[in-house]
Amino acid sequence: MTASPSPTIRPLADSDCLTELTALLHAAYASLAAQGWNFTAVDQSVNVTRERLTGAQGFVAELEGRLVGTVAVRGPKRAGEAYIADPPPPLYTTPGTAILAQLAVHPECRGEGLGERLITAAEAWARDQGFVQLALDTAEPAEALRRRYERRGYATVGRIQWQGKTYVSVLMSKPLA
């Protein structure tokens, strides 16, 4: 019996199709939408995907030529720079802070540690760039997501209500010592 291939984690390339990446985000976030949480990635356009990747290092998981996972990481926002439609919280403008976003794993590939591998790649990139902490936000009622980040050493450091969201988000950070 042959073992099934494992997805390869690699940096997002200019040749990667943002339409395919956006479709992956929609598929991965559909289960959250079904719980009533309107995460941006639930239905974002290709242009929003492109905007969210501007200035970021994207990583993708590829399996047999298909994108099955992704994450983005970037340095701090400028104080006047929008975070989608909102001003960024102070955590996201703090020097030395990298921001993790758009973590997604295709539903067919869940339960195999792929999300952890993507986060590890993003954390390593941030550490290699000299960032001292990594920050993210997620829906406060999404307990499983919050526990995933807590197991990796992230702590809740605040709360925020993003425009138009059906939930309050928690802000989380982790030192990158």
Side-chain angles (χ1 to χ4, degrees), residues 14 84 92 151 169 171:
D14 289 341
I84 304 175
Y92 285 5
R151 282 192 301 272
S169 288
L171 295 166

Side-chain angles (χ1 to χ4, degrees), residues 56-145:
Q57 174 61 62
F59 290 94
V60 293
E62 187 175 28
L63 179 63
E64 299 175 338
R66 189 170 71 109
L67 300 182
V68 296
T70 189
V71 69
V73 60
R74 61 160 291 166
K77 297 268 187 180
R78 294 181 315 278
E81 185 179 358
Y83 187 72
I84 304 175
D86 295 287
L91 176 64
Y92 285 5
T93 62
T94 302
T97 301
I99 304 164
L100 185 83
Q102 297 195 122
L103 174 65
V105 173
H106 194 281
E108 294 172 3
C109 297
R110 290 192 181 144
E112 300 173 18
L114 189 51
E116 297 303 312
R117 290 175 57 206
L118 286 161
I119 295 170
T120 296
E123 289 176 351
W125 179 89
R127 197 175 293 108
D128 290 348
Q129 300 302 309
F131 292 105
V132 297
Q133 75 173 338
L134 198 54
L136 60 90
D137 62 88
T138 195
E140 186 172 52
E143 293 179 24
L145 293 174

Side-chain angles (χ1 to χ4, degrees), residues 5-111:
S6 179
T8 302
I9 307 287
R10 62 171 175 77
L12 181 69
D14 289 341
S15 59
D16 286 317
C17 177
L18 292 186
T19 300
E20 182 183 356
L21 187 65
T22 302
L24 164 64
L25 290 165
H26 293 173
Y29 280 77
S31 60
L32 298 168
Q35 296 175 70
W37 302 326
N38 62 337
F39 281 72
T40 301
V42 164
D43 60 2
Q44 72 189 35
S45 68
V46 173
N47 284 339
V48 170
T49 300
R50 184 178 294 107
E51 178 185 328
R52 293 182 79 187
L53 288 167
T54 299
Q57 174 61 62
F59 290 94
V60 293
E62 187 175 28
L63 179 63
E64 299 175 338
R66 189 170 71 109
L67 300 182
V68 296
T70 189
V71 69
V73 60
R74 61 160 291 166
K77 297 268 187 180
R78 294 181 315 278
E81 185 179 358
Y83 187 72
I84 304 175
D86 295 287
L91 176 64
Y92 285 5
T93 62
T94 302
T97 301
I99 304 164
L100 185 83
Q102 297 195 122
L103 174 65
V105 173
H106 194 281
E108 294 172 3
C109 297
R110 290 192 181 144

